[in-house]
Amino acid sequence: METKKNICIVGVTRFSLLLPGVAQWKLSAQAETLESYRDRLYDPTRLDARMKIFSQLSLPQLAKGSHGTNYRHIVQHSSSLPARYQSQLRTLSQQFEFLEIVCSDEKSVHDHSVATAFRDMVDEDARHDTRLAWFRLDDDDIVSDHYFDRIVPYVESEPPGRVVSLGLGYSMIYSNGQLWDMRLDYRPKNSIGQLYVCAFDDTSGRLVEPPRGDHSIIDQFAPTVLDSRQPSFITVVHPMQDGRAHLESDQALAAVEKEQGNKPMADLTDLEFEFSQIRNSTVVADFPLETVMTDGNLTVDPIRETVSAHGDLAVEVHVTAAQPQTDGRVILGMRFASGTRPQATGRWVEVDRDTLAVGFVVSSPTMRFRAHLLGVPDTSELVEISVWVSRSFVGSVTLDELRIGESQKQ
């Protein structure tokens, strides 16, 4: 990107900011006491995952995309954030020169941090001729290599008070320290990189910006530009996010997998152009798939195929049905060598002491379904895969292809 000295952009990430009683955050609103809220907010498992995503994925993407831009990224946190995470954030600010850490327990300090940054970045006599904008980014979300290329034209052309939403991206599940199951994700007016065009008022000197309301209905508060022509973000979904704070861990993982299953599947090669830092990282779990079954008429009697695999697994099935189903399911079974079957997690259920199964409703005449089995010990040995339909299935269904892959060790 060609350097544009008259454009100034600020990004803001709230890193597990302690916000007692804030209604829009379930983790806060549902907590019985301040202590229980703090304990859940600062759970090491939760913070470790977010720190890894932010430091190893999100920041490298921002560094590449913002090159040549007058850019600052503010990370806000409370003084109660455990010391080792505060230390890690300070280390990151030395590694990434655009990063500024703001530690405060005063809401007003965080509310005014954007205006403070603009005043620091742009001389007072140059503010009238400088185009300003800021955007939101959660600590577990990621923007494209080309995010800044896409927003700069809007910063140049849109008047203060406008909002820009890049509504197309990908979603990936984070588990066991890796990202997997990439899906196309259309989320108009999502919070990831939602951009607010600003300016300083010539008379009062205050920052003029769109209202800071609910991002999902921002167009009710400010004129909003929606641009969903290219995938511009990755939203990372995982069991410990705020929306699933009320669920037990296995229920939360099942909810994540169900949510993902409703989105179109995408291929990791799609990351090359938009998310080069992600594609080249060791955090993305790759499951090269090989075909093990084709061309079979499915019934309630399973079709079986002998296989050999170890560790984390992915399975993908393609079917053609005579008609869409409301309840009828295609079911996949995985049988392990005696005594080596892993625990059922997420949407997987126990069939017997050696077998796990997962089912999906065939909601369209042609359908692809993908499922992962994670946390599988290397000692677990998959010996057979089978596929059948539930007794509630109406009409015929044909198995076009069934593929299976083992996780590639990074």
Side-chain angles (χ1 to χ4, degrees):
M1 177 188 292
E2 179 185 353
T3 302
K4 295 182 179 293
K5 297 184 181 298
N6 66 333
I7 290 178
C8 181
I9 298 174
V10 170
V12 177
T13 294
R14 296 188 289 193
F15 193 87
S16 295
L17 194 61
L18 190 69
L19 298 169
V22 177
Q24 64 263 39
W25 300 110
K26 290 185 180 179
L27 198 62
S28 171
Q30 295 178 355
E32 294 181 359
T33 65
L34 177 59
E35 184 178 11
S36 65
Y37 166 44
R38 184 187 291 112
D39 288 345
R40 296 190 69 175
L41 184 70
Y42 294 154
D43 183 316
T45 302
R46 178 182 182 276
L47 288 179
D48 286 345
R50 288 171 178 267
M51 182 62 77
K52 184 172 183 177
I53 294 166
F54 187 59
S55 62
Q56 297 186 23
L57 301 176
S58 187
L59 285 176
Q61 283 289 141
L62 287 170
K64 180 172 183 178
S66 65
H67 181 72
T69 305
N70 187 12
Y71 176 60
R72 181 175 298 182
H73 196 93
I74 299 169
V75 177
Q76 303 171 337
H77 71 81
S78 304
S79 63
S80 55
L81 180 71
R84 70 185 181 100
Y85 299 105
Q86 293 195 41
S87 177
Q88 289 178 55
L89 290 174
R90 288 194 297 270
T91 299
L92 288 171
S93 70
Q94 297 170 0
Q95 180 181 351
F96 297 94
E97 61 180 19
F98 57 78
L99 201 61
E100 176 185 343
I101 311 301
V102 176
C103 174
S104 179
D105 298 321
E106 298 296 328
K107 182 176 181 296
S108 61
V109 171
H110 296 300
D111 288 346
H112 293 107
S113 60
V114 171
T116 301
F118 283 142
R119 290 190 175 96
D120 183 53
M121 296 167 72
V122 186
D123 292 336
E124 186 173 358
D125 58 2
R127 289 173 192 165
H128 180 76
D129 297 320
T130 303
R131 305 290 300 181
L132 310 175
W134 72 276
F135 67 89
R136 309 161 50 135
L137 190 69
D138 285 350
D139 51 24
D140 54 0
D141 288 325
I142 303 160
V143 292
S144 161
D145 292 5
H146 306 285
Y147 172 80
F148 290 87
D149 293 325
R150 290 172 186 150
I151 63 172
V152 162
Y154 292 116
V155 180
E156 292 178 308
S157 62
E158 296 296 324
R162 294 290 172 90
V163 176
V164 179
S165 171
L166 304 183
L168 183 65
Y170 300 113
S171 62
M172 300 182 77
I173 296 177
Y174 181 83
S175 180
N176 295 336
Q178 289 193 297
L179 294 171
W180 50 278
D181 195 26
M182 192 170 89
R183 305 278 177 148
L184 195 64
D185 197 356
Y186 176 56
R187 294 192 183 195
K189 298 176 291 182
N190 73 89
S191 65
I192 309 169
Q194 190 170 97
L195 184 78
Y196 310 102
V197 182
C198 311
F200 282 107
D201 181 78
D202 291 338
T203 303
S204 66
R206 69 178 183 86
L207 186 68
V208 178
E209 60 179 327
R212 298 189 182 188
D214 184 340
H215 66 82
S216 65
I217 55 172
I218 192 65
D219 54 321
Q220 295 184 22
F221 310 120
T224 301
V225 176
L226 179 62
D227 187 345
S228 304
R229 290 173 293 175
Q230 296 94 12
S232 298
F233 64 83
I234 294 176
T235 180
V236 179
V237 292
H238 50 88
M240 297 194 72
Q241 282 172 314
D242 182 70
R244 288 171 283 274
H246 61 293
L247 300 175
E248 297 297 327
S249 58
D250 193 58
Q251 292 177 319
L253 180 58
V256 165
E257 293 179 347
K258 183 176 181 180
E259 176 185 321
Q260 282 289 94
N262 294 325
K263 303 170 188 174
M265 290 188 291
D267 192 270
L268 289 178
T269 56
D270 296 337
L271 292 175
E272 296 287 355
F273 179 70
E274 296 286 354
F275 300 92
S276 59
Q277 304 302 296
I278 307 301
R279 186 66 183 101
N280 296 326
S281 76
T282 60
V283 181
V284 176
D286 201 356
F287 296 84
L289 298 171
E290 295 184 2
T291 300
V292 295
M293 288 189 200
T294 57
D295 301 328
N297 293 320
L298 298 180
T299 68
V300 293
D301 296 318
I303 301 174
R304 305 179 188 276
E305 184 70 32
T306 300
V307 295
S308 178
H310 298 80
D312 292 348
L313 299 163
V315 61
E316 186 174 301
V317 62
H318 303 209
V319 297
T320 300
Q323 63 190 75
Q325 306 292 302
T326 56
D327 184 54
R329 285 169 165 77
V330 168
I331 304 169
L332 303 175
M334 289 187 173
R335 184 169 67 84
F336 293 82
S338 180
T340 71
R341 195 209 75 194
Q343 293 293 315
T345 59
R347 300 175 69 188
W348 292 88
V349 297
E350 299 178 6
V351 175
D352 55 44
R353 64 188 303 272
D354 295 326
T355 308
L356 298 177
V358 63
F360 65 97
V361 176
V362 183
S363 56
S364 62
T366 59
M367 189 168 177
R368 290 197 302 161
F369 174 78
R370 182 190 295 153
H372 292 76
L373 187 58
L374 300 183
V376 180
D378 289 338
T379 54
S380 293
E381 180 184 2
L382 180 66
V383 296
E384 182 184 81
I385 190 165
S386 54
V387 57
W388 67 96
V389 296
S390 64
R391 295 188 182 278
S392 58
F393 208 96
V394 178
S396 62
V397 59
T398 301
L399 173 68
D400 301 318
E401 185 178 30
L402 191 151
R403 304 193 294 165
I404 190 170
E406 301 175 65
S407 176
Q408 300 298 293
K409 301 298 183 183
Q410 299 282 349

